[in-house]
Amino acid sequence: MGEVALVTGASRGIGAAIARSLADAGYSVAVNYARSADLAEAVVSEITMSGGTAIAVQADVSDADAVAGMFATVTDELGPVTVLVNNAGITDDGLLLRMGVDQWDHVLSTNLRSVYLCTKTALKPMLRARSGRIISVSSISGIAGNPGQSNYSASKAGVIGFTKSIAKEVGSRGITVNAVAPGFIATDMTNALGEAVTEGVAKQISLGRLGQPEEVASVVRYLASEDASYITGQTLVVDGGLAL
Ligand code: NAP
């Protein structure tokens, strides 16, 4: 069995672009989703029609039992995961004084607890194999902060700290652990903000436009590759010069 990539939240947006890009690079790809079965199946069909190997696997990545089931399915059907991409994430914005505890917990568990659960599960066979790649999708909000996103920023800053700690824990076993921090990428997540907001943000980006999911996917593909064998514990910013 060859290289197997599990991409969480790969039914749409950045995750779908990462799944397609890794499949193009020859990985067998597990396309995880929470609710969008049709979209996940469409990503799988696109990959298989181009000669690649992919399966769709449903799991809420904040749920420990669901994560265990997802890894069991992927291992049975494709083999042990050699590249884990922790991409699934949500926003639920609001100013802190109006932010309910459920709103805080839901974002933290979807964006950060999931990274703990999936990474811990993926690492066991990687440690035995003495190789592997963990790549997590953080955000520029986790570096620079953003008003109305204290829950989201905290989760994404948590991903960066987690990445550094695990890189130190497993580096001696030949496993690299990195993150990418996208800025403003054109997906459902940013479309939901409306045209006026996205046009305003585009003016603050050095490159003068939103990024495309494929422009994040190519960086993830690089971090997964042999070319990135001496990079670990890093967060690569992919924001078109937004946070300069
Ligand atoms: P998106 O278009 O809203 O897609 C989110 C994906 O996450 C979907 O595939 C969704 O699955 C999945 N998901 C949500 N909750 C899940 C759960 N509990 N379990 C499993 N999957 C779940 O988002 P995106 O813009 O592509 O964002 C992808 C990642 O990039 C996120 O971590 C996000 O925070 C980060 N990011 C995005 C931007 C941006 O500008 N777009 C910037 C910085 C960072 P379903 O379709 O089944 O719901």
Side-chain angles (χ1 to χ4, degrees):
M1 284 177 172
E3 296 270 337
V4 176
L6 166 58
V7 185
T8 68
S11 50
R12 37 199 179 94
I14 295 170
I18 294 169
R20 287 190 210 100
S21 178
L22 291 177
D24 277 351
Y27 296 84
S28 299
V29 179
V31 174
N32 160 252
Y33 65 97
R35 289 162 297 269
S36 308
D38 291 354
L39 293 179
E41 290 297 350
V43 174
V44 168
S45 299
E46 217 181 305
I47 291 171
T48 49
M49 303 255 281
S50 334
T53 303
I55 59 166
V57 55
Q58 195 283 332
D60 173 349
V61 288
S62 66
D63 179 312
D65 291 339
V67 166
M70 170 173 73
F71 273 87
T73 302
V74 175
T75 306
D76 280 355
E77 295 193 25
L78 299 177
V81 172
T82 57
V83 175
L84 168 66
V85 183
N86 289 308
N87 165 79
I90 57 165
T91 52
D92 190 352
D93 298 349
L95 295 173
L96 183 63
L97 291 187
R98 289 196 211 121
M99 185 174 291
V101 73
D102 290 349
Q103 200 176 351
W104 174 271
D105 285 346
H106 188 211
V107 170
L108 266 290
S109 62
T110 306
N111 297 2
L112 186 56
R113 183 177 203 260
S114 61
V115 174
Y116 151 76
L117 290 171
C118 292
T119 303
K120 191 174 172 184
T121 312
L123 273 177
K124 286 171 196 160
M126 288 182 185
L127 287 166
R128 278 196 297 276
R130 292 188 159 265
S131 73
R133 294 277 197 267
I134 309 283
I135 302 154
S136 302
V137 181
S138 175
S139 166
I140 206 70
S141 292
I143 298 172
N146 205 15
Q149 287 202 314
S150 58
N151 52 358
Y152 184 74
S153 301
S155 71
K156 295 300 186 178
V159 166
I160 293 171
F162 178 88
T163 295
K164 291 178 186 175
S165 293
I166 306 307
K168 289 183 176 181
E169 283 188 23
V170 301
S172 65
R173 305 288 192 96
I175 300 164
T176 68
V177 189
N178 290 293
V180 294
F184 229 72
I185 311 300
T187 68
D188 292 348
M189 188 177 271
T190 45
N191 287 345
L193 299 171
E195 216 170 299
V197 174
T198 49
E199 277 174 12
V201 173
K203 291 193 181 118
Q204 296 167 40
I205 300 173
S206 303
L207 292 177
R209 62 172 177 84
L210 270 59
Q212 293 302 313
E214 292 71 22
E215 293 176 305
V216 179
S218 58
V219 178
V220 171
R221 176 168 158 168
Y222 165 67
L223 287 171
S225 75
E226 249 327 281
D227 288 343
S229 54
Y230 204 55
I231 299 177
T232 198
Q234 303 304 307
T235 299
L236 296 191
V237 173
V238 190
D239 73 346
L242 171 64
L244 294 177

Short mmCIF file of all heavy atoms in Angstrom, two decimals, residues 105-166:
data_model
loop_
_atom_site.label_atom_id
_atom_site.label_comp_id
_atom_site.label_asym_id
_atom_site.label_seq_id
_atom_site.Cartn_x
_atom_site.Cartn_y
_atom_site.Cartn_z
N ASP A 105 -17.57 26.87 22.96
CA ASP A 105 -17.21 25.44 22.99
C ASP A 105 -17.30 24.79 21.62
O ASP A 105 -16.47 23.95 21.27
CB ASP A 105 -18.13 24.69 23.96
CG ASP A 105 -17.78 24.97 25.41
OD1 ASP A 105 -16.69 25.52 25.68
OD2 ASP A 105 -18.61 24.65 26.29
N HIS A 106 -18.33 25.16 20.84
CA HIS A 106 -18.52 24.52 19.54
C HIS A 106 -17.33 24.82 18.61
O HIS A 106 -16.80 23.92 17.95
CB HIS A 106 -19.84 25.03 18.91
CG HIS A 106 -20.22 24.31 17.66
ND1 HIS A 106 -20.91 24.90 16.63
CD2 HIS A 106 -19.98 23.03 17.25
CE1 HIS A 106 -21.07 24.02 15.65
NE2 HIS A 106 -20.53 22.88 16.01
N VAL A 107 -16.89 26.07 18.60
CA VAL A 107 -15.76 26.44 17.73
C VAL A 107 -14.46 25.80 18.24
O VAL A 107 -13.68 25.24 17.46
CB VAL A 107 -15.64 27.98 17.61
CG1 VAL A 107 -14.35 28.38 16.91
CG2 VAL A 107 -16.85 28.53 16.85
N LEU A 108 -14.26 25.85 19.55
CA LEU A 108 -13.02 25.25 20.10
C LEU A 108 -12.99 23.74 19.86
O LEU A 108 -11.93 23.19 19.53
CB LEU A 108 -12.90 25.58 21.60
CG LEU A 108 -12.06 26.81 21.97
CD1 LEU A 108 -10.57 26.58 21.70
CD2 LEU A 108 -12.50 28.07 21.26
N SER A 109 -14.13 23.08 20.01
CA SER A 109 -14.08 21.62 19.85
C SER A 109 -13.96 21.23 18.38
O SER A 109 -13.23 20.30 18.05
CB SER A 109 -15.26 20.92 20.53
OG SER A 109 -16.45 21.34 19.93
N THR A 110 -14.60 21.98 17.48
CA THR A 110 -14.49 21.64 16.05
C THR A 110 -13.09 21.95 15.52
O THR A 110 -12.54 21.20 14.73
CB THR A 110 -15.54 22.42 15.22
OG1 THR A 110 -16.83 22.17 15.78
CG2 THR A 110 -15.53 22.00 13.77
N ASN A 111 -12.52 23.06 15.96
CA ASN A 111 -11.25 23.52 15.36
C ASN A 111 -10.00 23.04 16.10
O ASN A 111 -8.94 22.96 15.49
CB ASN A 111 -11.21 25.05 15.33
CG ASN A 111 -12.30 25.66 14.45
OD1 ASN A 111 -13.12 24.94 13.90
ND2 ASN A 111 -12.31 26.97 14.35
N LEU A 112 -10.12 22.73 17.40
CA LEU A 112 -8.89 22.41 18.17
C LEU A 112 -8.94 21.02 18.81
O LEU A 112 -7.99 20.25 18.68
CB LEU A 112 -8.67 23.50 19.23
CG LEU A 112 -7.37 23.41 20.04
CD1 LEU A 112 -6.14 23.40 19.14
CD2 LEU A 112 -7.28 24.57 21.03
N ARG A 113 -10.07 20.70 19.46
CA ARG A 113 -10.19 19.34 20.03
C ARG A 113 -10.00 18.31 18.91
O ARG A 113 -9.36 17.27 19.09
CB ARG A 113 -11.58 19.21 20.66
CG ARG A 113 -11.85 17.91 21.36
CD ARG A 113 -13.24 17.97 22.00
NE ARG A 113 -13.35 17.03 23.08
CZ ARG A 113 -13.93 15.84 22.98
NH1 ARG A 113 -14.48 15.46 21.85
NH2 ARG A 113 -13.97 15.04 24.01
N SER A 114 -10.55 18.61 17.74
CA SER A 114 -10.44 17.72 16.58
C SER A 114 -8.98 17.47 16.21
O SER A 114 -8.61 16.36 15.82
CB SER A 114 -11.16 18.35 15.39
OG SER A 114 -10.54 19.59 15.07
N VAL A 115 -8.17 18.51 16.32
CA VAL A 115 -6.76 18.39 15.93
C VAL A 115 -6.04 17.48 16.92
O VAL A 115 -5.22 16.64 16.55
CB VAL A 115 -6.12 19.80 15.86
CG1 VAL A 115 -4.62 19.71 15.61
CG2 VAL A 115 -6.79 20.62 14.76
N TYR A 116 -6.38 17.63 18.20
CA TYR A 116 -5.84 16.72 19.23
C TYR A 116 -6.27 15.27 18.94
O TYR A 116 -5.43 14.36 18.90
CB TYR A 116 -6.32 17.19 20.61
CG TYR A 116 -6.46 16.10 21.64
CD1 TYR A 116 -5.33 15.56 22.27
CD2 TYR A 116 -7.71 15.60 21.99
CE1 TYR A 116 -5.46 14.54 23.22
CE2 TYR A 116 -7.84 14.59 22.93
CZ TYR A 116 -6.72 14.06 23.54
OH TYR A 116 -6.85 13.05 24.45
N LEU A 117 -7.57 15.07 18.70
CA LEU A 117 -8.08 13.69 18.50
C LEU A 117 -7.47 13.05 17.26
O LEU A 117 -6.99 11.90 17.31
CB LEU A 117 -9.61 13.71 18.35
CG LEU A 117 -10.43 14.05 19.59
CD1 LEU A 117 -11.91 14.24 19.22
CD2 LEU A 117 -10.29 12.94 20.65
N CYS A 118 -7.48 13.77 16.14
CA CYS A 118 -7.01 13.16 14.88
C CYS A 118 -5.50 12.96 14.90
O CYS A 118 -5.00 11.93 14.44
CB CYS A 118 -7.41 14.04 13.69
SG CYS A 118 -9.18 14.06 13.39
N THR A 119 -4.77 13.93 15.44
CA THR A 119 -3.30 13.80 15.45
C THR A 119 -2.88 12.63 16.33
O THR A 119 -2.02 11.82 15.96
CB THR A 119 -2.66 15.12 15.94
OG1 THR A 119 -3.12 16.18 15.09
CG2 THR A 119 -1.15 15.04 15.91
N LYS A 120 -3.50 12.53 17.50
CA LYS A 120 -3.14 11.44 18.43
C LYS A 120 -3.38 10.07 17.78
O LYS A 120 -2.54 9.17 17.88
CB LYS A 120 -4.00 11.59 19.69
CG LYS A 120 -3.57 10.72 20.83
CD LYS A 120 -4.39 11.06 22.07
CE LYS A 120 -4.12 10.07 23.16
NZ LYS A 120 -4.97 10.31 24.33
N THR A 121 -4.49 9.96 17.07
CA THR A 121 -4.83 8.68 16.44
C THR A 121 -3.88 8.40 15.26
O THR A 121 -3.41 7.27 15.10
CB THR A 121 -6.30 8.69 15.97
OG1 THR A 121 -7.10 9.18 17.03
CG2 THR A 121 -6.76 7.30 15.55
N ALA A 122 -3.60 9.43 14.48
CA ALA A 122 -2.74 9.24 13.30
C ALA A 122 -1.31 8.89 13.70
O ALA A 122 -0.61 8.15 13.00
CB ALA A 122 -2.73 10.51 12.45
N LEU A 123 -0.86 9.43 14.84
CA LEU A 123 0.55 9.28 15.21
C LEU A 123 0.95 7.84 15.55
O LEU A 123 2.11 7.47 15.32
CB LEU A 123 0.88 10.18 16.41
CG LEU A 123 1.30 11.61 16.08
CD1 LEU A 123 1.53 12.40 17.36
CD2 LEU A 123 2.55 11.64 15.20
N LYS A 124 -0.01 7.06 16.07
CA LYS A 124 0.41 5.71 16.54
C LYS A 124 1.09 4.91 15.44
O LYS A 124 2.24 4.48 15.62
CB LYS A 124 -0.79 4.99 17.16
CG LYS A 124 -1.12 5.57 18.54
CD LYS A 124 -2.41 5.03 19.11
CE LYS A 124 -2.85 5.93 20.26
NZ LYS A 124 -4.27 5.80 20.58
N PRO A 125 0.44 4.70 14.27
CA PRO A 125 1.16 3.96 13.21
C PRO A 125 2.35 4.73 12.64
O PRO A 125 3.33 4.12 12.21
CB PRO A 125 0.09 3.73 12.14
CG PRO A 125 -1.05 4.62 12.48
CD PRO A 125 -0.96 4.93 13.93
N MET A 126 2.29 6.06 12.65
CA MET A 126 3.43 6.84 12.13
C MET A 126 4.67 6.62 13.00
O MET A 126 5.78 6.51 12.51
CB MET A 126 3.09 8.34 12.10
CG MET A 126 2.09 8.73 11.03
SD MET A 126 1.81 10.52 11.06
CE MET A 126 0.50 10.67 9.85
N LEU A 127 4.46 6.56 14.33
CA LEU A 127 5.58 6.35 15.24
C LEU A 127 6.22 4.99 14.99
O LEU A 127 7.45 4.86 14.98
CB LEU A 127 5.11 6.46 16.70
CG LEU A 127 4.79 7.89 17.16
CD1 LEU A 127 4.01 7.87 18.47
CD2 LEU A 127 6.05 8.72 17.29
N ARG A 128 5.36 3.97 14.72
CA ARG A 128 5.89 2.64 14.43
C ARG A 128 6.67 2.66 13.11
O ARG A 128 7.73 2.06 12.99
CB ARG A 128 4.75 1.62 14.35
CG ARG A 128 4.30 1.10 15.71
CD ARG A 128 3.46 -0.16 15.58
NE ARG A 128 2.23 0.06 14.85
CZ ARG A 128 1.10 0.53 15.39
NH1 ARG A 128 1.05 0.79 16.68
NH2 ARG A 128 0.02 0.69 14.66
N ALA A 129 6.13 3.39 12.12
CA ALA A 129 6.77 3.45 10.79
C ALA A 129 7.96 4.39 10.75
O ALA A 129 8.73 4.41 9.79
CB ALA A 129 5.74 3.88 9.75
N ARG A 130 8.09 5.21 11.80
CA ARG A 130 9.15 6.22 11.87
C ARG A 130 9.11 7.17 10.68
O ARG A 130 10.14 7.63 10.18
CB ARG A 130 10.53 5.57 11.99
CG ARG A 130 10.69 4.87 13.33
CD ARG A 130 12.09 4.37 13.57
NE ARG A 130 12.29 4.18 15.00
CZ ARG A 130 12.84 5.09 15.81
NH1 ARG A 130 13.24 6.25 15.35
NH2 ARG A 130 12.98 4.83 17.09
N SER A 131 7.91 7.48 10.23
CA SER A 131 7.74 8.55 9.23
C SER A 131 6.29 8.99 9.23
O SER A 131 5.41 8.26 9.68
CB SER A 131 8.16 8.07 7.83
OG SER A 131 7.20 7.19 7.33
N GLY A 132 6.07 10.17 8.71
CA GLY A 132 4.70 10.69 8.62
C GLY A 132 4.69 12.20 8.56
O GLY A 132 5.69 12.86 8.84
N ARG A 133 3.54 12.72 8.17
CA ARG A 133 3.36 14.17 8.05
C ARG A 133 2.03 14.54 8.70
O ARG A 133 0.99 13.96 8.36
CB ARG A 133 3.28 14.58 6.58
CG ARG A 133 4.56 14.36 5.79
CD ARG A 133 5.51 15.53 6.01
NE ARG A 133 6.55 15.58 5.02
CZ ARG A 133 7.74 15.02 5.15
NH1 ARG A 133 8.04 14.31 6.22
NH2 ARG A 133 8.65 15.15 4.20
N ILE A 134 2.10 15.54 9.60
CA ILE A 134 0.88 16.12 10.16
C ILE A 134 0.86 17.59 9.71
O ILE A 134 1.83 18.32 9.97
CB ILE A 134 0.88 16.10 11.71
CG1 ILE A 134 1.21 14.71 12.28
CG2 ILE A 134 -0.42 16.66 12.26
CD1 ILE A 134 0.13 13.70 12.23
N ILE A 135 -0.20 17.99 9.06
CA ILE A 135 -0.32 19.38 8.60
C ILE A 135 -1.68 19.91 9.04
O ILE A 135 -2.72 19.29 8.74
CB ILE A 135 -0.18 19.47 7.06
CG1 ILE A 135 1.15 18.86 6.62
CG2 ILE A 135 -0.31 20.93 6.59
CD1 ILE A 135 1.16 18.33 5.21
N SER A 136 -1.69 21.01 9.78
CA SER A 136 -2.95 21.55 10.28
C SER A 136 -3.21 22.93 9.69
O SER A 136 -2.27 23.71 9.49
CB SER A 136 -2.92 21.64 11.81
OG SER A 136 -2.69 20.35 12.36
N VAL A 137 -4.49 23.19 9.43
CA VAL A 137 -4.85 24.49 8.86
C VAL A 137 -5.24 25.42 10.00
O VAL A 137 -6.26 25.24 10.66
CB VAL A 137 -5.99 24.35 7.83
CG1 VAL A 137 -6.32 25.73 7.24
CG2 VAL A 137 -5.58 23.37 6.72
N SER A 138 -4.35 26.38 10.26
CA SER A 138 -4.62 27.41 11.25
C SER A 138 -5.26 28.59 10.53
O SER A 138 -6.04 28.40 9.59
CB SER A 138 -3.30 27.79 11.95
OG SER A 138 -3.49 28.86 12.83
N SER A 139 -4.93 29.80 10.91
CA SER A 139 -5.47 31.00 10.25
C SER A 139 -4.66 32.20 10.68
O SER A 139 -4.11 32.23 11.79
CB SER A 139 -6.93 31.21 10.66
OG SER A 139 -7.35 32.51 10.30
N ILE A 140 -4.65 33.20 9.83
CA ILE A 140 -4.01 34.47 10.19
C ILE A 140 -4.68 35.05 11.44
O ILE A 140 -4.06 35.75 12.23
CB ILE A 140 -4.05 35.44 8.96
CG1 ILE A 140 -2.93 36.43 9.03
CG2 ILE A 140 -5.38 36.06 8.77
CD1 ILE A 140 -1.58 35.82 8.81
N SER A 141 -5.97 34.71 11.64
CA SER A 141 -6.68 35.18 12.85
C SER A 141 -6.04 34.63 14.13
O SER A 141 -6.17 35.24 15.19
CB SER A 141 -8.14 34.73 12.85
OG SER A 141 -8.83 35.39 11.85
N GLY A 142 -5.39 33.49 14.02
CA GLY A 142 -4.71 32.91 15.18
C GLY A 142 -3.37 33.57 15.47
O GLY A 142 -2.78 33.35 16.52
N ILE A 143 -2.89 34.37 14.52
CA ILE A 143 -1.61 35.07 14.70
C ILE A 143 -1.88 36.54 15.05
O ILE A 143 -1.32 37.07 16.00
CB ILE A 143 -0.76 34.97 13.41
CG1 ILE A 143 -0.42 33.51 13.11
CG2 ILE A 143 0.51 35.81 13.53
CD1 ILE A 143 0.25 33.28 11.76
N ALA A 144 -2.75 37.16 14.27
CA ALA A 144 -2.97 38.61 14.42
C ALA A 144 -4.19 38.94 15.28
O ALA A 144 -4.34 40.07 15.72
CB ALA A 144 -3.12 39.24 13.04
N GLY A 145 -5.09 37.96 15.50
CA GLY A 145 -6.35 38.25 16.19
C GLY A 145 -7.31 38.95 15.26
O GLY A 145 -6.91 39.47 14.21
N ASN A 146 -8.60 38.96 15.62
CA ASN A 146 -9.61 39.60 14.79
C ASN A 146 -10.82 39.91 15.68
O ASN A 146 -11.32 39.00 16.35
CB ASN A 146 -10.03 38.64 13.65
CG ASN A 146 -10.57 39.38 12.45
OD1 ASN A 146 -10.41 40.59 12.33
ND2 ASN A 146 -11.23 38.66 11.58
N PRO A 147 -11.29 41.16 15.71
CA PRO A 147 -12.44 41.45 16.57
C PRO A 147 -13.65 40.61 16.16
O PRO A 147 -13.92 40.46 14.97
CB PRO A 147 -12.70 42.95 16.34
CG PRO A 147 -11.89 43.35 15.16
CD PRO A 147 -10.81 42.33 14.98
N GLY A 148 -14.35 40.08 17.14
CA GLY A 148 -15.52 39.24 16.85
C GLY A 148 -15.17 37.78 16.64
O GLY A 148 -16.04 36.95 16.39
N GLN A 149 -13.87 37.47 16.73
CA GLN A 149 -13.46 36.07 16.48
C GLN A 149 -12.61 35.53 17.63
O GLN A 149 -11.66 34.79 17.40
CB GLN A 149 -12.66 35.98 15.17
CG GLN A 149 -13.50 36.15 13.92
CD GLN A 149 -12.84 35.56 12.69
OE1 GLN A 149 -11.66 35.79 12.46
NE2 GLN A 149 -13.59 34.82 11.89
N SER A 150 -12.93 35.90 18.87
CA SER A 150 -12.08 35.44 19.98
C SER A 150 -12.07 33.92 20.06
O SER A 150 -11.02 33.32 20.32
CB SER A 150 -12.52 36.05 21.31
OG SER A 150 -13.86 35.72 21.57
N ASN A 151 -13.22 33.29 19.82
CA ASN A 151 -13.27 31.82 19.86
C ASN A 151 -12.43 31.22 18.73
O ASN A 151 -11.60 30.34 18.93
CB ASN A 151 -14.72 31.31 19.84
CG ASN A 151 -15.56 31.90 18.69
OD1 ASN A 151 -15.10 32.72 17.90
ND2 ASN A 151 -16.81 31.46 18.62
N TYR A 152 -12.64 31.75 17.52
CA TYR A 152 -11.93 31.25 16.34
C TYR A 152 -10.42 31.52 16.46
O TYR A 152 -9.60 30.63 16.22
CB TYR A 152 -12.51 31.92 15.10
CG TYR A 152 -11.95 31.46 13.78
CD1 TYR A 152 -12.31 30.22 13.25
CD2 TYR A 152 -11.07 32.25 13.04
CE1 TYR A 152 -11.81 29.79 12.02
CE2 TYR A 152 -10.57 31.84 11.82
CZ TYR A 152 -10.94 30.61 11.32
OH TYR A 152 -10.44 30.19 10.11
N SER A 153 -10.06 32.75 16.85
CA SER A 153 -8.63 33.09 16.97
C SER A 153 -7.95 32.22 18.02
O SER A 153 -6.81 31.77 17.83
CB SER A 153 -8.45 34.56 17.37
OG SER A 153 -9.03 35.40 16.41
N ALA A 154 -8.65 32.00 19.15
CA ALA A 154 -8.07 31.16 20.21
C ALA A 154 -7.85 29.74 19.70
O ALA A 154 -6.80 29.13 19.95
CB ALA A 154 -8.98 31.16 21.44
N SER A 155 -8.82 29.22 18.93
CA SER A 155 -8.67 27.86 18.41
C SER A 155 -7.50 27.78 17.44
O SER A 155 -6.73 26.81 17.46
CB SER A 155 -9.97 27.38 17.74
OG SER A 155 -10.20 28.05 16.51
N LYS A 156 -7.35 28.80 16.60
CA LYS A 156 -6.31 28.75 15.57
C LYS A 156 -4.92 29.03 16.16
O LYS A 156 -3.92 28.51 15.67
CB LYS A 156 -6.66 29.72 14.44
CG LYS A 156 -7.94 29.33 13.68
CD LYS A 156 -7.81 27.96 13.04
CE LYS A 156 -8.98 27.60 12.16
NZ LYS A 156 -8.83 26.29 11.50
N ALA A 157 -4.86 29.88 17.20
CA ALA A 157 -3.59 30.08 17.91
C ALA A 157 -3.24 28.78 18.63
O ALA A 157 -2.06 28.39 18.70
CB ALA A 157 -3.71 31.22 18.91
N GLY A 158 -4.24 28.10 19.16
CA GLY A 158 -4.02 26.80 19.81
C GLY A 158 -3.41 25.79 18.85
O GLY A 158 -2.52 25.03 19.24
N VAL A 159 -3.86 25.80 17.61
CA VAL A 159 -3.31 24.88 16.60
C VAL A 159 -1.82 25.14 16.41
O VAL A 159 -1.02 24.21 16.27
CB VAL A 159 -4.08 25.03 15.26
CG1 VAL A 159 -3.34 24.36 14.12
CG2 VAL A 159 -5.49 24.48 15.39
N ILE A 160 -1.42 26.41 16.44
CA ILE A 160 -0.01 26.75 16.22
C ILE A 160 0.84 26.26 17.40
O ILE A 160 1.90 25.65 17.21
CB ILE A 160 0.14 28.27 16.00
CG1 ILE A 160 -0.53 28.66 14.67
CG2 ILE A 160 1.63 28.68 16.00
CD1 ILE A 160 -0.64 30.16 14.42
N GLY A 161 0.38 26.47 18.62
CA GLY A 161 1.12 26.00 19.80
C GLY A 161 1.18 24.49 19.85
O GLY A 161 2.23 23.89 20.16
N PHE A 162 0.07 23.85 19.52
CA PHE A 162 -0.01 22.38 19.47
C PHE A 162 1.01 21.85 18.45
O PHE A 162 1.76 20.91 18.73
CB PHE A 162 -1.43 21.98 19.06
CG PHE A 162 -1.65 20.51 18.91
CD1 PHE A 162 -2.02 19.72 20.00
CD2 PHE A 162 -1.53 19.89 17.67
CE1 PHE A 162 -2.24 18.35 19.86
CE2 PHE A 162 -1.75 18.52 17.52
CZ PHE A 162 -2.10 17.76 18.62
N THR A 163 1.06 22.49 17.29
CA THR A 163 1.97 22.07 16.21
C THR A 163 3.43 22.10 16.69
O THR A 163 4.19 21.15 16.45
CB THR A 163 1.77 23.02 14.99
OG1 THR A 163 0.44 22.82 14.51
CG2 THR A 163 2.78 22.76 13.89
N LYS A 164 3.80 23.18 17.38
CA LYS A 164 5.19 23.29 17.85
C LYS A 164 5.50 22.20 18.88
O LYS A 164 6.56 21.57 18.85
CB LYS A 164 5.42 24.67 18.47
CG LYS A 164 5.39 25.78 17.44
CD LYS A 164 5.59 27.13 18.12
CE LYS A 164 5.41 28.26 17.11
NZ LYS A 164 5.47 29.57 17.73
N SER A 165 4.57 21.98 19.82
CA SER A 165 4.82 20.97 20.86
C SER A 165 4.95 19.58 20.28
O SER A 165 5.86 18.82 20.65
CB SER A 165 3.69 20.98 21.90
OG SER A 165 3.71 22.20 22.60
N ILE A 166 4.03 19.22 19.38
CA ILE A 166 4.07 17.86 18.83
C ILE A 166 5.29 17.69 17.91
O ILE A 166 5.89 16.61 17.86
CB ILE A 166 2.75 17.50 18.10
CG1 ILE A 166 1.55 17.72 19.02
CG2 ILE A 166 2.76 16.03 17.63
CD1 ILE A 166 1.63 17.03 20.37
#
